[in-house]
Amino acid sequence: MIMILKTVFLYFFITIAYRIMGKKEIGELNIIDFIVTILMAEIAAISIEKDSISIMRSIIPIIVLVTIQVILSYLSLKFSKFRDLLDGKPSVIIKKGKIVFSEMLKLKYTLDDLLSQLREKGVKSIEEVDYAILENNGQLSIFQNENDYPFPIIMDGIIDYKILKEIGKNKKWLDKLLKENKIDVKNVFYAFYRSNKTYIIKKSDLI
């Protein structure tokens, strides 16, 4: 009976914990989220299996883990460099129809992995793909038309000069664009370039 009560309580307690952390699907978990998930599961399992262990021995560590995760999520949202440190950055695996093997080696991402994920997306061959991005959650985003690929030129007020160079632009061009739109770069939440057009989302426009 004690085991049943512990199981029911921990089920609802962990459900509430995930609501607080704001997670929806397993596919959305990054490495830190995954570690927290494993630890919470282990803590709950130990408490359920051993009647002699007080349920508080599970509740307190879970509260600590949730608190740490909420703080890290907040810091990731506020500081892009901290977010990159925790989550990493999406990697371009195919660029303009060519495989970027240097990036694949860095990620230990094999050709079999790439072909398998392309087949899952209904893509028959690499030649059909202009850009393929390996996201932080391991999913592969595919763009079969170069004009559909959004080049992120500003994120959280930080300019990506590498992307600017790739699209054949420079800081002078970007400064002129921002000046024409009367936007300070520090107020830019996200700006991307697609189909010869620049799209800007301002921090002040966010709800």
Side-chain angles (χ1 to χ4, degrees):
M1 190 63 186
I2 292 174
M3 185 181 291
I4 292 172
L5 289 173
K6 279 185 175 181
T7 303
V8 172
F9 177 82
L10 286 171
Y11 171 80
F12 287 106
F13 184 74
I14 292 174
T15 299
I16 292 169
Y18 267 94
R19 290 296 183 189
I20 293 171
M21 290 192 296
K23 306 305 169 191
K24 297 178 182 179
E25 299 177 9
I26 293 297
E28 296 177 359
L29 302 183
N30 57 27
I31 292 174
I32 303 298
D33 298 331
F34 182 71
I35 291 170
V36 170
T37 298
I38 295 297
L39 289 174
M40 286 172 62
E42 287 294 323
I43 291 167
I46 291 170
S47 178
I48 292 169
E49 288 173 3
K50 297 183 179 181
D51 295 341
S52 59
I53 296 178
S54 169
I55 197 167
M56 289 302 294
R57 297 281 293 273
S58 293
I59 292 174
I60 293 172
I62 289 173
I63 290 174
V64 171
L65 286 171
V66 170
T67 302
I68 291 171
Q69 182 60 23
V70 169
I71 292 170
L72 290 178
S73 296
Y74 175 79
L75 291 174
S76 295
L77 184 64
K78 296 294 288 184
F79 306 103
S80 59
K81 289 185 178 179
F82 187 79
R83 180 171 61 249
D84 292 342
L85 179 65
L86 286 182
D87 299 340
K89 298 179 72 174
S91 302
V92 179
I93 301 300
I94 298 176
K95 182 189 290 186
K96 297 182 180 179
K98 295 181 180 180
I99 298 176
V100 186
F101 282 106
S102 58
E103 199 67 26
M104 291 178 66
L105 286 171
K106 189 191 302 181
L107 299 170
K108 296 180 176 59
Y109 184 76
T110 67
L111 184 59
D112 287 339
D113 294 331
L114 175 59
L115 294 175
S116 174
Q117 289 195 290
L118 288 175
R119 286 194 296 271
E120 287 176 5
K121 299 285 187 178
V123 178
K124 296 177 182 178
S125 66
I126 293 170
E127 287 75 17
E128 296 179 26
V129 180
D130 277 327
Y131 282 87
I133 315 296
L134 187 64
E135 307 291 354
N136 295 337
N137 61 5
Q139 297 295 315
L140 192 69
S141 298
I142 296 171
F143 300 88
Q144 292 180 275
N145 186 332
E146 186 175 345
N147 291 328
D148 292 334
Y149 177 59
F151 292 90
I153 55 178
I154 303 176
M155 292 187 70
D156 286 344
I158 298 173
I159 301 169
D160 193 325
Y161 292 98
K162 186 178 177 181
I163 295 294
L164 275 181
K165 185 178 180 181
E166 190 168 326
I167 62 175
K169 306 295 182 181
N170 53 34
K171 190 174 184 297
K172 186 177 179 181
W173 167 84
L174 183 59
D175 288 340
K176 183 181 177 183
L177 178 71
L178 293 173
K179 188 176 181 181
E180 287 175 352
N181 288 276
K182 298 179 181 178
I183 301 172
D184 189 323
V185 67
K186 293 180 180 178
N187 188 35
V188 178
F189 178 70
Y190 181 55
F192 63 93
Y193 184 83
R194 182 173 65 188
S195 301
N196 297 319
K197 291 183 181 179
T198 306
Y199 301 84
I200 301 173
I201 301 171
K202 295 185 292 183
K203 293 179 181 178
S204 57
D205 292 336
L206 300 176
I207 298 173

